[in-house]
Amino acid sequence: GQNIDQPTEMTATEGAIVQINCTYQTSGFNGLFWYQQHAGEAPTFLSYNVLDGLEEKGRFSSFLSRSKGYSYLLLKELQMKDSASYLCAVRDGDYKLSFGAGTTVTVRA
Amino acid sequence: IAGITQAPTSQILAAGRRMTLRCTQDMRHNAMYWYRQDLGLGLRLIHYSNTAGTTGKGEVPDGYSVSRANTDDFPLTLASAVPSQTSVYFCASSERGTGELFFGEGSRLTVL
């Protein structure tokens, strides 16, 4: 099974940087994913890491260390529209995704 | 617009009743999934299907059943609803071998 931990809430100021950490313990690992979910909406895909290192995609970056069971999502130049829940998910060997409980990020002016 | 359609959007149901949540995708994805989302618990996998004709159990399958008669449809049935099944249900699909899930808009179910 999967055990995925991430902080419940984070608050940051518009224009700032926020880092959301995710740790996992898994019986099989086949990639780590980050999803964004605005209140009342469906989750949408943000990023994917299967090898160690940093993946950058515009204002968002995601990092993975497989040996440490650790990932983070970095949000730069925060905007009000970035207020949302961010879900860390681990894919197992059977291509199923297990999700963490999510981190609610609130961006303040 | 291509994507995933779920129905109903919202439903209030008496305990003991049977209920089927419908899910249809037009992206020809091999894999489909049903998740439930509860406050503080995140998304939990109920059942999945890697290809038409096959299904598998996820993390919380009890009280639910699914079928996958064709590529496009993946209905979720609650045979006899109980209040603990009150939740928001999301259907999702993906190309097998990728982890990029495409989600429907969700079905909010309340069991009284």
Side-chain angles (χ1 to χ4, degrees), chain A residues 32-108:
Chain A
L32 188 133
F33 299 77
W34 286 94
Y35 282 76
Q36 181 189 59
Q37 185 177 24
H38 286 100
E41 298 183 7
T44 56
F45 170 80
L46 279 181
S47 70
Y48 163 56
N49 296 71
V50 66
L51 300 176
D52 291 352
L54 188 68
E55 293 285 340
E56 297 188 83
K57 198 185 239 187
R59 294 188 298 113
F60 294 0
S61 303
S62 57
F63 172 83
L64 175 66
S65 169
R66 289 172 296 169
S67 62
K68 295 182 179 178
Y70 168 70
S71 173
Y72 68 72
L73 179 69
L74 196 68
L75 286 63
K76 294 176 279 190
E77 301 170 17
L78 278 173
Q79 302 176 9
M80 299 300 289
K81 67 178 181 179
D82 297 330
S83 291
S85 285
Y86 292 85
L87 314 177
C88 176
V90 174
R91 184 173 65 180
D92 65 17
D94 197 31
Y95 299 102
K96 301 191 303 294
L97 278 189
S98 294
F99 287 82
T103 299
T104 299
V105 172
T106 301
V107 180
R108 294 184 172 166

Side-chain angles (χ1 to χ4, degrees), chain A residues 33 35 37 40-45 48 87 91 93-102, chain B residues 33 35 37 40-43 45 48 50 57-58 90 96-101 103-105:
Chain A
F33 299 77
Y35 282 76
Q37 185 177 24
E41 298 183 7
T44 56
F45 170 80
Y48 163 56
L87 314 177
R91 184 173 65 180
D94 197 31
Y95 299 102
K96 301 191 303 294
L97 278 189
S98 294
F99 287 82
Chain B
Y33 311 85
Y35 287 88
Q37 188 171 38
L41 295 177
L43 287 160
L45 183 64
Y48 66 96
N50 285 331
K57 293 181 179 180
F90 285 101
R96 180 163 170 74
T98 78
E100 183 176 351
L101 267 57
F103 285 86
E105 291 304 306

Side-chain angles (χ1 to χ4, degrees), chain B residues 15-66:
Chain B
R17 296 297 295 270
R18 180 184 179 88
M19 178 73 193
T20 295
L21 303 180
R22 300 183 298 279
C23 175
T24 300
Q25 55 111 352
D26 60 4
M27 296 175 284
R28 308 302 293 173
H29 285 166
N30 302 111
M32 296 188 75
Y33 311 85
W34 274 105
Y35 287 88
R36 60 176 290 175
Q37 188 171 38
D38 303 288
L39 195 63
L41 295 177
L43 287 160
R44 291 181 292 168
L45 183 64
I46 304 171
H47 284 288
Y48 66 96
S49 169
N50 285 331
T51 190
T54 68
T55 63
K57 293 181 179 180
E59 181 184 354
V60 289
D62 294 343
Y64 306 94
S65 63
V66 292

Side-chain angles (χ1 to χ4, degrees), chain B residues 79-99:
Chain B
S80 179
V82 296
S84 62
Q85 292 177 311
T86 294
S87 187
V88 179
Y89 291 85
F90 285 101
C91 179
S93 72
S94 72
E95 273 299 323
R96 180 163 170 74
T98 78

